[in-house]
Amino acid sequence: MEPLLGKSLPQLQEICAALGMPKFTARQIAQWIYEKRVGSIDGMTNLSKAHRALLAEHYEIGLSAPADRAVSSDGTVKYLFRTATGKLIETVYIPDGERATLCVSSQMGCKMNCLFCQTGKQGFNGNLTTAEILNQIFAVPESQSLTNVVFMGMGEPLDNPNGLFPALDVMTAHWGMAWSPKRITVSTIGHLPQLPRLLEEQQCHVAISIHSPFPEERLSLMPVQKAYPIDDVLALLRKYDFSHQRHLTFEYIVFAGLNDDAVHARALIRMLSGLDCKVNLIRFHAIPNVPLQTSETDKMERFRDILNRHGITATVRASRGEDIFAACGMLSSLRGEIKNPEL
């Protein structure tokens, strides 16, 4: 049965027209789904019983509870969801003082095959639907307390435009969740075919995975460098204004003896010169059969300090959830095991 979750107001209006319902019913349905978070069509009590029954013949809300979860010693929670195709995806809830961030997935696996990322090692198993993307936000127990959502889970968000962009619309539209775009960050490897659309149609924050200022070295880490060279990505970004509410961040995983020295720091400064941006330095989390090592904290801090001294705001991102394989680059449904299907 087709889910209502993920439908836009115009789509709901089309559904109501096809079922012979008044046009205003679409707005009521949207309010029940996105504002009141109703769990069933029968709970839409300002619709007539006849209309509820008619709607339920063809549609369902589309909510699906997590199949399992794991809780880290630092309070991070990783949720496992089963998709309509039976595949598994992971979603991570990260509490941090007054902030409560949900890291959502956009694909089952990933095509990009970055050397340092466990998700890419499992290959690509399909795109998530808009409903499956939004279900991660609506179905976690902490849903109502979320302050931020980051598209940094499994998959490359811009490689799934048909799932991602309608989800962003629902999250920010007045008829939807009515979130400020400032609460949302989309992370990308620099997917050039869809990056202009993200920059022009949406106002959410943008994070670009860079990891090396040297093209050949970046290629050894990220095969996508061949298709979407970082220089081309930067040329595109320079056409947009990031000096106001929208933020541009570059994500830089720091590897011991590879990209953690002053030479790389200075090259990165030159590469990002003139861009209004910040850099997140990310600790590498070891994954099987990958010959990369975690850089020492003091080297990461020295790298950060060089960037800061040259006018680029840089921070060392706190590592969260490593003990439950929920940290950056560690998500993989290959580890997923349904222990409690009734959760």
Side-chain angles (χ1 to χ4, degrees):
M1 196 171 288
E2 192 173 351
L4 293 172
L5 183 66
K7 300 294 186 188
S8 66
L9 182 59
Q11 287 174 321
L12 292 174
Q13 289 171 339
E14 291 176 3
I15 289 171
C16 288
L19 295 178
M21 298 180 183
K23 187 175 181 179
F24 67 81
T25 307
R27 192 170 292 276
Q28 293 174 316
I29 294 172
Q31 185 179 43
W32 279 112
I33 297 171
Y34 301 125
E35 182 180 335
K36 298 182 179 180
R37 312 287 184 95
V38 71
S40 69
I41 291 174
D42 196 52
M44 300 179 180
T45 52
N46 61 351
L47 275 63
S48 70
K49 286 187 177 180
H51 284 163
R52 278 181 274 166
L54 182 60
L55 195 60
E57 285 181 17
H58 302 277
Y59 297 93
E60 61 183 357
I61 299 297
L63 289 175
S64 176
D68 203 355
R69 70 171 188 168
V71 182
S72 168
S73 59
D74 63 24
T76 299
V77 185
K78 183 173 70 173
Y79 290 99
L80 192 69
F81 286 95
R82 187 180 291 280
T83 68
T85 60
K87 301 294 184 180
L88 300 173
I89 60 167
E90 297 183 329
T91 307
V92 181
Y93 169 71
I94 309 166
D96 184 15
E98 295 182 355
R99 291 173 62 90
T101 300
L102 193 70
C103 179
V104 303
S105 294
S106 54
Q107 296 181 312
M108 295 167 272
C110 187
K111 299 176 186 176
M112 302 304 140
N113 196 27
C114 297
L115 177 62
F116 48 81
C117 182
Q118 184 65 39
T119 304
K121 305 306 176 197
Q122 72 179 74
F124 177 69
N125 296 302
N127 286 321
L128 297 185
T129 65
T130 298
E132 289 168 336
I133 291 173
L134 290 172
N135 182 67
Q136 297 169 75
I137 300 169
F138 281 72
V140 295
E142 303 86 358
S143 178
Q144 295 284 10
S145 65
L146 296 176
T147 62
N148 300 85
V149 165
V150 295
F151 286 83
M152 297 181 181
M154 299 173 65
E156 162 57 44
L158 294 184
D159 194 44
N160 180 15
N162 294 336
L164 173 70
F165 287 105
L168 293 175
D169 289 341
V170 167
M171 294 175 72
T172 57
H174 63 88
W175 47 259
M177 295 172 64
W179 270 31
S180 165
K182 293 186 294 183
R183 300 171 65 178
I184 305 166
T185 300
V186 175
S187 175
T188 172
I189 46 79
H191 191 284
L192 283 172
Q194 294 297 330
L195 186 54
R197 181 179 175 187
L198 177 67
L199 295 169
E200 291 164 15
E201 292 185 9
Q202 304 292 332
Q203 289 300 312
C204 54
H205 301 317
V206 178
I208 305 290
S209 298
I210 191 166
H211 310 313
S212 175
F214 301 117
E216 288 301 317
E217 186 174 83
R218 187 173 188 261
L219 178 62
S220 71
L221 297 169
M222 304 173 67
V224 75
Q225 165 69 17
K226 185 174 182 179
Y228 311 135
I230 190 60
D231 287 343
D232 293 351
V233 175
L234 292 172
L236 173 66
L237 293 171
R238 292 183 191 280
K239 299 177 182 179
Y240 296 85
D241 184 3
F242 296 97
S243 63
H244 299 292
Q245 292 187 340
R246 166 185 272 173
H247 295 159
L248 173 63
T249 300
F250 289 93
E251 297 171 319
Y252 190 100
I253 298 178
V254 189
F255 306 104
L258 178 66
N259 66 347
D260 61 350
D261 55 28
V263 172
H264 283 76
R266 289 192 291 269
L268 188 60
I269 291 165
R270 291 192 297 271
M271 174 173 274
L272 302 183
S273 176
L275 274 172
D276 198 316
C277 65
K278 63 178 181 179
V279 174
N280 265 343
L281 301 176
I282 303 170
R283 188 178 307 282
F284 172 63
H285 302 97
I287 59 176
N289 304 314
V290 172
L292 295 171
Q293 301 296 322
T294 303
S295 184
E296 296 177 0
T297 299
D298 62 340
K299 293 204 72 172
M300 294 181 67
E301 291 175 345
R302 285 199 295 272
F303 197 102
R304 173 202 64 195
D305 293 343
I306 294 172
L307 297 184
N308 285 335
R309 285 198 301 271
H310 287 81
I312 295 179
T313 300
T315 57
V316 177
R317 182 191 293 175
S319 179
R320 300 290 299 273
E322 184 173 5
D323 58 334
I324 57 169
F325 301 101
C328 180
M330 300 185 78
L331 298 187
S332 172
S333 58
L334 293 177
R335 286 199 184 91
E337 179 182 349
I338 303 296
K339 300 187 180 86
N340 182 8
E342 304 303 320
L343 181 64

